Amino acid sequence: MVRANDQVEALLQEYADLIAIRGGEAFKARAYEKAARAVGGFPTDVSKLDAKGLREIPNVGRSVADKIVEYLRTGRMSVVEEARASVPAGVRELIMIPGLGPRKAMVLYEELEVASVDQLLDAIHKERLRDLKGFGERTESNLLHGISVLQKAGEGRILVSAAMDVAEQLVAELSDIRGCVRCSYAGSLRRMKETIGDVDILVAARRSAPFMDALTALPHTAEVIARGEKKTSVRTTTGLQVDLRVLPPASWGAGLQYFTGSKAHNIRTRAIAVRQGLKLSEYGLFDAESGESITSGTEEEIYDRLGLPWIPPTLREDRGEIAAGLRGELPVLLTEKDIRGDLHTHTDFTDGLAPLEDMVAAAAARGYAYYAVTDHAPNLYMQRMTKEKILAQRERVRALDGTHHTMRLLHGTELNIGPDGTLDWPDEFLAEFDICVASVHSHFNQTRRELTQRLIRACENPHVAVIGHPTTRRIGKRPGIDADFDAVFAACARTDTALEVNAHPERLDLCDEDILRARRHGVKFAVNSDSHAITHLPYMRYGVATAQRGWLTKEDVINTWPLAELRRFLGGRGA
């Protein structure tokens, strides 16, 4: 179930980390990081490529290709195993802490003999880090926060995209079994939460045995946790638990509603049933006194009998959706079909993996009406951008505009919001872009006041249309910055600057709770993929789902608007 590309990406990234830990050349570690990202974002399954084919992947040379071939043939990468042996396991554990880099992890090991998260916590509480060069009270505070993020991420949860890959493959395989009437994933995955603890699969069938047999016999099933007539639980080779339940076809709607959850939402619906003299369970809606079945076939029938409209799964978190449904005020949520274009994407001109022409063709294949290319600006120094280079790209974009059906191209840039809130280029140059996205990429540990003013200053620039990945978080890897986001949201509403819902599964930034807060300020949003590869463009589904969890409609999202309306929104910004 795990793509070979993902496995190779993880190994190459680990090797890059190990090089850095051992004090190797920075350029070599960076080269392996680039190769890892390139393999992970490459659309073709690397297990189907020979050495020559692998060398055609951007940033993959002969040496890297040989290592990939070795792994695909033997299941091991010898240089990684050798590097692991030379680095204490505890140091490898420490670099998993968000905010703690390889070099500082090695200093902690060499100077304080800290070789585990528990030992680091002990050292922080005893204030032992303060005598080390480059460490101090603020470092201690940041490390404590990073450890908290790591521990939460380690509670057996995985990114929604990884869980979706497993679930969709299982649904496809089980749907092909004779006797399957209906099959779907449920639980927190159907509600599209950003991380998933386990995958719930439901099947409607008259006989359960064929489906239980199939699940336990799949090659990616490593362990059968429990097996029964109605439910079987297994653990996959990647450690993910999958729970399969087989329901009578007549109970499908009630079962799907029940096992989708959330628990708090279900408590609300059951309370409504009780007030009406009914009983709601996974088998149906029944008369509480006689036990007579009222309805159970579809979710719509269940909700309708309770006096509610069908409530989309992404809203079922007990955040007021029941009350809104009873009042007839549920929003018509944004859908992926509503998205007319993607306003934040990258090419291999900076840190993307695919050429401009390939990204544009892939966007056109998605049926977009417009598409923005927003490569990085010069202050993200490793991208080596210049005015001359960005203007040359603009000429290429203009030449491609209109060559793919009716899709129009916008030439933009992703600006770096500096520590003082300044941007990469002067206003007169920014005015020439169709769209400017501005994002924080560094100096995450400024004070709350500094970070807040930094973001507000950026959104006050008349040429900035969108604040990209506003909190900068990376789920399970890096916490969001400590800014007064209510003040930032208010500033965005005042300046008519959109906030991004970044659809990359590692970001989903803004998150649903932040979207709900920002929406109350009257902010507009842009749901973007932040694609760095063709394979990232479909991430839009996760951004849309996150927007739904934040109760957004298509009127709230600028890239659902017709191009003429979008251009009017961008009009004061040089479009």
Side-chain angles (χ1 to χ4, degrees):
M1 283 189 174
V2 179
R3 294 170 67 229
N5 299 51
D6 297 333
Q7 295 169 325
V8 172
E9 178 185 15
L11 279 170
L12 292 175
Q13 180 58 57
E14 181 184 358
Y15 189 49
D17 291 339
L18 290 167
I19 292 170
I21 289 171
R22 296 190 300 172
E25 300 95 333
F27 78 87
K28 184 176 180 182
R30 180 68 177 158
Y32 277 96
E33 285 180 4
K34 288 182 176 180
R37 291 180 59 253
V39 171
F42 198 64
T44 303
D45 185 343
V46 294
S47 67
K48 297 178 172 27
L49 300 177
D50 58 14
K52 181 180 179 182
L54 291 169
R55 290 197 296 274
E56 293 177 2
I57 300 174
N59 299 312
V60 174
R62 183 180 300 277
S63 177
V64 175
D66 288 345
K67 291 176 177 62
I68 296 172
V69 169
E70 178 194 8
Y71 172 74
L72 295 174
R73 286 177 179 170
T74 68
R76 57 191 295 270
M77 200 175 282
S78 56
V79 292
V80 176
E81 293 182 1
E82 291 167 7
R84 283 174 183 161
S86 66
V87 174
V91 178
R92 300 202 302 273
E93 179 185 351
L94 291 177
I95 66 169
M96 299 299 292
I97 300 171
L100 183 59
R103 292 180 187 269
K104 281 194 171 182
M106 201 64 185
V107 169
L108 288 170
Y109 177 76
E110 292 175 341
E111 298 293 332
L112 301 180
E113 297 183 349
V114 168
S116 71
V117 173
D118 288 341
Q119 289 176 358
L120 177 57
L121 280 170
D122 183 65
I124 291 172
H125 294 318
K126 292 178 179 177
E127 300 182 356
R128 296 176 63 206
L129 273 61
R130 298 183 185 184
D131 295 330
L132 298 178
K133 185 178 180 180
F135 292 80
E137 289 186 48
R138 188 164 182 81
T139 305
E140 291 175 346
S141 176
N142 292 335
L143 288 176
L144 287 172
H145 193 106
I147 291 169
S148 174
V149 171
L150 177 67
Q151 289 171 338
K152 288 178 182 177
E155 293 172 354
R157 303 188 70 83
I158 64 172
L159 295 179
V160 61
S161 54
M164 186 63 75
D165 289 343
V166 173
E168 289 185 332
Q169 185 172 342
L170 282 171
V171 167
E173 291 173 342
L174 295 173
S175 295
D176 285 340
I177 296 175
R178 186 174 181 180
C180 179
V181 178
R182 300 286 296 272
C183 185
S184 175
Y185 52 84
S188 57
L189 180 59
R190 188 166 179 243
R191 302 198 313 276
M192 295 296 279
K193 292 196 69 172
E194 63 193 34
T195 60
I196 309 299
D198 51 50
V199 170
D200 295 291
I201 304 291
L202 300 184
V203 168
R206 289 174 176 80
R207 294 181 60 244
S208 64
F211 302 93
M212 306 307 189
D213 290 342
L215 179 65
T216 58
L218 289 173
H220 35 258
T221 294
E223 175 190 4
V224 178
I225 300 170
R227 172 167 179 160
E229 184 179 346
K230 297 177 182 177
K231 176 185 174 183
T232 291
S233 297
V234 302
R235 200 176 312 281
T236 70
T237 51
T238 59
L240 179 64
Q241 181 169 325
V242 176
D243 296 329
L244 170 64
R245 293 175 175 86
V246 179
L247 305 167
S251 297
W252 176 256
L256 185 59
Q257 193 277 333
Y258 181 87
F259 289 112
T260 294
S262 65
K263 182 178 179 180
H265 176 86
N266 285 353
I267 289 171
R268 296 278 187 182
T269 55
R270 289 200 298 271
I272 293 174
V274 169
R275 289 197 296 271
Q276 297 180 15
L278 304 172
K279 179 183 178 182
L280 179 60
S281 73
E282 63 266 44
Y283 296 106
L285 188 63
F286 303 91
D287 183 283
E289 188 171 331
S290 68
E292 178 185 356
S293 174
I294 304 297
T295 187
S296 61
T298 69
E299 284 191 322
E300 289 80 357
E301 291 169 357
I302 297 290
Y303 282 107
D304 182 65
R305 181 60 181 80
L306 295 175
L308 289 163
W310 179 79
I311 298 176
T314 45
L315 291 187
R316 300 181 197 175
E317 298 291 352
D318 192 27
R319 292 172 173 167
E321 71 276 7
I322 297 290
L326 290 170
R327 294 193 305 266
E329 297 176 358
L330 276 178
V332 179
L333 295 178
L334 174 76
T335 69
E336 198 169 355
K337 290 181 180 179
D338 294 325
I339 299 293
R340 293 175 183 256
D342 199 335
L343 300 180
H344 180 182
T345 69
H346 299 270
T347 73
D348 63 357
F349 209 53
T350 52
D351 61 344
L353 303 174
L356 170 67
E357 291 77 8
D358 291 354
M359 292 296 291
V360 169
R366 293 180 61 79
Y368 287 148
Y370 46 83
Y371 178 75
V373 178
T374 56
D375 274 314
H376 290 288
N379 286 359
L380 208 61
Y381 68 92
M382 72 282 294
Q383 308 305 338
R384 297 189 176 91
M385 182 57 74
T386 64
K387 283 187 178 181
E388 292 73 24
K389 287 176 68 177
I390 202 75
L391 290 174
Q393 185 188 58
R394 183 173 298 163
E395 291 301 313
R396 292 172 62 199
V397 170
R398 299 293 185 241
L400 282 172
D401 190 21
T403 60
H404 288 275
H405 309 293
T406 58
M407 186 177 81
R408 302 304 305 272
L409 297 181
L410 303 177
H411 185 241
T413 182
E414 184 183 10
L415 302 163
N416 186 54
I417 303 174
D420 58 356
T422 56
L423 305 173
D424 306 67
W425 282 307
D427 284 354
E428 58 269 23
F429 192 68
L430 296 181
E432 299 174 9
F433 288 95
D434 295 324
I435 181 170
C436 293
V437 178
S439 309
V440 170
H441 294 104
S442 63
H443 297 83
F444 304 124
N445 295 328
Q446 288 181 296
T447 67
R448 180 179 176 85
R449 183 177 179 277
E450 288 170 337
L451 287 164
T452 303
Q453 290 303 312
R454 180 180 178 184
L455 285 164
I456 290 175
R457 184 175 180 185
C459 72
E460 287 176 340
N461 184 295
H463 303 292
V464 172
V466 180
I467 300 295
H469 44 75
T471 77
T472 79
R473 74 167 186 169
R474 300 294 293 270
I475 298 172
K477 296 182 178 180
R478 183 174 70 214
I481 55 176
D482 179 22
D484 179 354
F485 276 100
D486 282 305
V488 174
F489 299 157
C492 285
R494 171 171 53 82
T495 60
D496 214 16
T497 304
L499 284 164
E500 182 174 72
V501 180
N502 189 295
H504 195 292
E506 289 187 5
R507 288 191 184 272
L508 298 181
D509 180 12
L510 294 171
C511 71
D512 52 356
E513 293 179 353
D514 287 336
I515 293 168
L516 286 164
R517 287 167 55 202
R519 186 171 177 267
R520 288 193 285 269
H521 286 273
V523 174
K524 294 298 182 186
F525 301 84
V527 182
N528 299 320
S529 69
D530 192 5
S531 291
H532 286 66
I534 290 169
T535 54
H536 296 172
L537 289 169
Y539 286 162
M540 184 65 76
R541 70 186 295 193
Y542 301 111
V544 168
T546 302
Q548 289 180 345
R549 289 177 58 81
W551 292 54
L552 295 190
T553 70
K554 67 179 181 180
E555 288 75 21
D556 297 314
V557 178
I558 66 172
N559 49 321
T560 69
W561 301 347
L563 181 59
E565 185 178 353
L566 176 65
R567 284 193 181 280
R568 283 195 292 273
F569 175 82
L570 301 172
R573 302 175 173 90

